[in-house]
Amino acid sequence: MNKTTVLLTLSALAVAGQLAAAGDITGTITLKGTPPKEKDITPLKDDPTCGKLHSELPTTHFYVVGSGGELADVVVSVEGISGKSTGASAPPAALDQRGCEYVPQILAVQTDQKIQIKNSDPVLHNIHDLPNPDSGNKEQNMAQMPNGPELSFAFAKPEAFLKFKCDVHPWMFAWVSVFDHPYFAISAKDGTFKIANVPPGKYTIKAAHRKAGVVTQEVEVKEGAPAKVDLALEVK
Ligand SMILES: [Cu+2]
């Protein structure tokens, strides 16, 4: 083995070692209490063009909750990790406008990660993000024609539930959380989440829901071992 081969072998082992040492954090988010009834979006059903895209009266989706209290659309993140964004090289996140609604309405990305925005509707939309003025993120407002070219947004600073709206259709909203690290997930319909490849350490896990607020819990990721943390939010 020459010197170069030895060095390459050592660096390959180092990379393998790092991967093996990281652990996944998984768990389930549940909701305590009975959520309020979702609101009918009557202006959407009454809109001459958008209304045709819905056979039933559309409603808000504030609490997406299963029969056992499993709660979706919760932004789960690791606290105390910062400056680790890989957003610039990460695959883009997708945001669609379909049936004159944003799909999904809850999204999470890293700083500098592209959000590819698509218009699947036969109508004009405009994408207007409203960052917190103190966040350092940029407000943009761009029209998008029916089936027009995709637009690309990205945010430089972390921010929770950055609001997107459409000025044409006042019921259209999405909320994008921005992290400066890749250690976050959004709970699925069955309430489960998975945050992959977290370096070993003791952390606070934060679960944030747009209506039910925030809960936190401590967790330890041991070398190469999966960690489990279940969190419960309460109806607010
Ligand atoms: Cu619109």
Side-chain angles (χ1 to χ4, degrees):
M1 240 190 248
N2 65 33
K3 210 172 176 182
T4 314
T5 316
V6 171
L7 281 175
L8 283 174
T9 310
L10 283 174
S11 56
L13 282 172
V15 168
Q18 271 173 13
L19 289 176
D24 297 343
I25 303 174
T26 60
T28 304
I29 312 290
T30 49
L31 182 72
K32 286 189 231 164
T34 308
K37 194 178 174 294
E38 298 292 337
K39 293 190 179 84
D40 294 338
I41 312 177
T42 314
L44 166 49
K45 191 63 193 149
D46 289 347
D47 183 279
T49 320
C50 296
K52 287 198 194 103
L53 306 169
H54 292 268
S55 52
E56 286 167 26
L57 181 59
T59 69
T60 54
H61 306 283
F62 293 139
Y63 283 99
V64 180
V65 58
S67 55
E70 307 87 354
L71 186 60
D73 286 342
V74 178
V75 182
V76 189
S77 61
V78 175
E79 291 276 275
I81 289 186
S82 63
K84 302 244 187 266
S85 180
T86 59
S89 59
L95 182 61
D96 195 5
Q97 296 152 106
R98 205 188 311 146
C100 298
E101 293 182 287
Y102 281 112
V103 182
Q105 288 169 14
I106 301 290
L107 186 66
V109 293
Q110 296 188 64
T111 49
D112 301 323
Q113 182 178 3
K114 275 186 183 154
I115 306 170
Q116 287 293 121
I117 305 169
K118 184 168 120 176
N119 182 0
S120 299
D121 284 333
V123 297
L124 170 88
H125 292 296
N126 82 312
I127 299 103
H128 187 175
D129 73 272
L130 298 164
N132 182 324
D134 303 327
S135 68
N137 284 323
K138 203 166 83 184
E139 179 177 350
Q140 287 171 275
N141 187 352
M142 293 175 86
Q144 194 173 33
M145 300 299 286
N147 298 306
E150 289 190 4
L151 296 174
S152 180
F153 278 35
F155 297 95
K157 303 289 179 190
E159 185 166 351
F161 296 118
L162 195 168
K163 192 186 209 175
F164 276 55
K165 66 169 184 165
C166 171
D167 297 320
V168 184
H169 306 108
W171 59 82
M172 282 181 72
F173 296 105
W175 291 271
V176 178
S177 292
V178 187
F179 295 95
D180 64 351
H181 59 76
Y183 306 111
F184 58 85
I186 293 181
S187 64
K189 284 226 164 95
D190 62 358
T192 60
F193 70 90
K194 176 181 169 179
I195 302 173
N197 294 321
V198 182
K202 288 184 179 171
Y203 302 103
T204 301
I205 298 295
K206 179 174 169 181
H209 183 268
R210 217 182 65 77
K211 290 284 178 184
V214 169
V215 291
T216 60
Q217 197 168 310
E218 306 307 306
V219 67
E220 182 172 6
V221 177
K222 294 184 177 147
E223 294 256 332
K228 204 168 178 317
V229 52
D230 297 326
L231 296 112
L233 284 144
E234 268 180 72
V235 170
K236 292 242 162 65

